[in-house]
Amino acid sequence: MSDADLLTRHIAGDPHAFSEIVKRHRDRMWAVALRTLGDPDEAADAVQDAFVSAYRKAESFRGEAAVTTWLHRIVVNACLDRMRRKAVRPVADDELIEAAERDTPVPDQTAEREVSMEVSSALKLLPADQRAALVLVDMMGYSVEDAAQVLQVPSGTVKSRCARGRAKLVPILSHLRNRSDRSRVSSAKGAELRDG
């Protein structure tokens, strides 16, 4: 059954339909929130807020985009709301390590974990709009057009936010380009930035 069918069933009163949508998408929504906020507790709260909002406002889904795109938009908005409501406190190093360990079950990936922590710390220095665009495009692999739908802005805005964000990250993360093991970059965009 498609996500759209499940959402329709939820609106019609099926008590189990929305829980299936949550099961299908919670991990990806969590990843978006965690990368956007950098704090596991804040990310969990944002995802919970987003799913509650989606549950309550399911009738507002117009079907112009995929259900997953609609959910991403709600999650990103919940993250941005949290960042606006309170300047998210800096994440302590031990919290970043715990989050990285949860995301990286193989214990022998120390170098990747270090890079991930450095990138997460650098992302927190960016304005929220640039961070959200970079997370969606460079970390989650969204096309610029899909990210624009999620963020509800024109594609050109996503491109400029990504360009400005990348420009701010270059001096902060330039030391990562000089590492001897360049094969550790995991995203296509990261490889593109690495290879120049």
Side-chain angles (χ1 to χ4, degrees), residues 104-125:
T104 311
V106 180
D108 200 17
Q109 296 179 343
T110 306
E112 285 182 18
R113 199 171 309 143
E114 288 173 6
V115 169
S116 177
M117 288 178 7
E118 288 185 57
V119 170
S120 293
S121 294
L123 280 171
K124 283 188 222 133
L125 301 174

Side-chain angles (χ1 to χ4, degrees), residues 43-62:
D45 290 344
V47 170
Q48 180 176 344
D49 292 348
F51 276 124
V52 167
S53 178
Y55 181 88
R56 291 180 177 158
K57 297 180 181 180
E59 292 93 17
S60 71
F61 177 70
R62 296 185 306 253

Side-chain angles (χ1 to χ4, degrees), residues 52-111:
V52 167
S53 178
Y55 181 88
R56 291 180 177 158
K57 297 180 181 180
E59 292 93 17
S60 71
F61 177 70
R62 296 185 306 253
E64 295 171 1
V67 171
T68 187
T69 302
W70 178 70
L71 289 172
H72 273 85
R73 182 179 308 142
I74 294 170
V75 169
V76 168
N77 286 339
C79 291
L80 294 175
D81 287 346
R82 286 190 160 277
M83 289 169 22
R84 279 190 284 266
R85 271 198 308 261
K86 69 178 204 183
V88 177
R89 63 180 174 77
V91 179
D93 289 340
D94 57 338
E95 290 175 346
L96 282 174
I97 292 169
E98 287 173 22
E101 286 172 349
R102 276 196 300 273
D103 290 345
T104 311
V106 180
D108 200 17
Q109 296 179 343
T110 306

